[in-house]
């Protein structure tokens, strides 16, 4: 089950989110789109996240296997559509919208529910390992995609993503997850324990948790979609700039596994707040104009830690505070709030770059957003609902 989560969630639309800056030079060169225009299209595509709570309710009713199969098939088709683009910006917008619609079947919305139903004492560690698929892919694929794009162009890069998500990741995930969805082992009511989605939305902790995701994604996702152009602007070659994505992926793996284990043994809110403040410091470090490759990689590693930890903490707290009765709809609504931060960050980073001619203002906003997330976590009560 954990293997299925590693492979399946690692191939979701968030992978493109992390890899998208590799495609920016090709898109700007061939179509004349500016970085701000590309960022705007990507950010508006997250409007598809508004359907995630409804799709999450469907997961609660129809199960995870049909959801995974349908979403990952749509994901591959969207990548093929991107490979065939002819320069019309709204086509790119529409295809990113399709990517956003695949979140329910490629995230902790499905895999987190299964794992939360099976693990109690080591739930944090299990979720940490399960959600490490995305950072592992982010760590390994930039170098592969860089070679593919160099040899076959940006269109070949999109085809490679389609092959990986639909012909490799989907069959492996579906095979590994066979039989797991119907065998919850919790002794306290399993899948039926917890509160309704409506009751969760009336709980102030739900909104506090949601806005931690908003602020974390506002800073980190906005930055990662501009990371390769950011590195090039700091004097790195395109290949060295791609290594910054590798540093980001390494921080994701470290955060998810290490902090996943820690929240099983210590106060999770305190750990979350500490990591958020460390990431805010990473964004502050990146504002230094004299950093070389090693310094930039260190700053990226620190800045990315909270994004990695948050992807473990989100499903952990959703199950811990509200139970599994309506986990799909509750977690799906939390995803909407977090993805709104992603959209704002993607659009904001691109727009601020176009307006100021640099990345300093956006990095300052990111540091402030991570500090705000840390403050929200410090006040998150841990009493369990219903």
């Amino acid at each position: 089950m954990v293997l299925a989560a590693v492979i399946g969630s690692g191939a979701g639309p968030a992978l493109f989110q992390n890899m998208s800056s590799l495609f920016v030079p090709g898109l700007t060169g061939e179509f004349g789109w500016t970085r701000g225009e590309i960022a705007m299209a990507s950010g508006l595509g997250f409007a598809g996240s508004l359907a995630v709570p409804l799709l999450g309710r469907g997961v609660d009713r129809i199960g995870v296997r049909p959801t995974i199969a349908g979403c990952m098939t749509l994901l591959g088709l969207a990548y093929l559509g991107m490979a065939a683009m002819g320069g019309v910006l709204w086509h790119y917008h529409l295809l990113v919208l399709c990517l956003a619609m695949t979140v329910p079947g490629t995230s902790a919305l499905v895999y987190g529910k299964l794992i939360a139903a099976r693990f109690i004492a080591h739930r944090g560690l299990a979720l940490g390992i399960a959600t490490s698929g995305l950072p592992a892919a982010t760590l390994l694929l930039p170098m592969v995609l860089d070679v593919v794009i160099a040899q076959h162009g940006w269109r070949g890069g999109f085809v490679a993503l389609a092959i990986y998500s639909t012909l490799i990741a989907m069959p492996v995930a579906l095979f590994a997850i066979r039989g797991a969805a119907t065998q919850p082992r919790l002794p306290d009511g399993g899948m039926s324990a917890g509160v309704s989605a409506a009751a969760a939305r009336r709980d102030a902790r739900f909104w506090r948790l949601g806005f931690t995701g908003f602020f974390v994604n506002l800073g980190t996702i906005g930055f990662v979609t501009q990371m390769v152009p950011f590195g090039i602007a700091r004097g790195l070659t395109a290949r060295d700039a791609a290594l910054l994505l590798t540093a980001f992926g390494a921080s994701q793996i470290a955060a998810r596994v290490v902090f996943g284990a820690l929240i099983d043994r210590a106060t999770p809110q305190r750990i979350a707040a500490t990591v958020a403040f460390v990431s805010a410091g990473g964004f502050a470090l990146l504002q230094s104009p004299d950093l070389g490759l090693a310094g930039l990689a260190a700053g990226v590693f620190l800045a990315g830690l909270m994004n990695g930890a948050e992807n473990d903490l989100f499903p952990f707290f959703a199950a811990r505070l509200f139970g599994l009765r309506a986990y799909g709809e509750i977690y799906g609504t939390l995803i909407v709030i977090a993805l709104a931060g992603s959209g704002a960050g993607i659009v904001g980073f691109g727009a601020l770059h176009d307006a100021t001619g640099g990345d300093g203002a956006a990095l300052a906003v990111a540091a402030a957003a991570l500090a705000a997330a840390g403050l929200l976590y410090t006040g998150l009560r841990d009493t369990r609902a219903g």
Side-chain angles (χ1 to χ4, degrees), residues 228-318:
V228 171
F230 164 79
I232 292 173
R234 290 297 187 93
L236 302 182
T237 66
R239 182 152 296 180
D240 284 346
L243 292 176
L244 297 182
L245 291 173
T246 301
F248 184 80
S251 75
Q252 303 282 285
I253 295 175
R256 295 187 195 209
V257 177
V258 173
F259 297 119
L262 287 175
I263 61 178
D264 291 327
R265 296 169 171 81
T267 305
Q269 293 91 331
R270 186 175 302 168
I271 293 170
T274 301
V275 180
F277 292 136
V278 170
S279 287
F283 280 111
L285 173 63
L286 287 170
Q287 295 186 65
S288 174
D290 301 321
L291 297 176
L293 175 59
L296 290 171
V300 167
F301 182 89
L302 294 174
L305 284 173
M306 188 57 203
N307 183 267
E310 183 251 355
N311 282 278
D312 185 9
L313 291 163
F314 237 39
F316 178 87
F317 278 117

Side-chain angles (χ1 to χ4, degrees), residues 41 51 56 77 183 205 266 312-313 346:
L77 292 173
Q183 302 172 21
R205 297 172 303 165
D312 185 9
L313 291 163
I346 291 169

Side-chain angles (χ1 to χ4, degrees), residues 2-20 46 72 75 79 103 106-108 111 127-142 145 161 164-165 169 217 220-221 224 245-257 304 306-312 331 339 342:
V2 174
L3 172 65
V6 169
I7 300 299
S9 64
L15 178 62
F16 171 69
Q17 188 173 265
N18 291 352
M19 300 289 103
S20 61
F46 282 103
M72 297 197 80
L75 185 68
Y79 283 138
V103 166
T106 57
S107 69
Y111 298 111
L127 285 169
I129 296 172
T131 58
S132 66
L134 175 61
T138 302
L139 180 65
L140 299 173
L141 285 184
L145 275 180
L161 287 175
Y164 175 66
S165 61
N217 284 9
T220 56
I221 302 305
V224 77
L245 291 173
T246 301
F248 184 80
S251 75
Q252 303 282 285
I253 295 175
R256 295 187 195 209
V257 177
M306 188 57 203
N307 183 267
E310 183 251 355
N311 282 278
D312 185 9
Y331 186 70
L339 288 182
S342 297

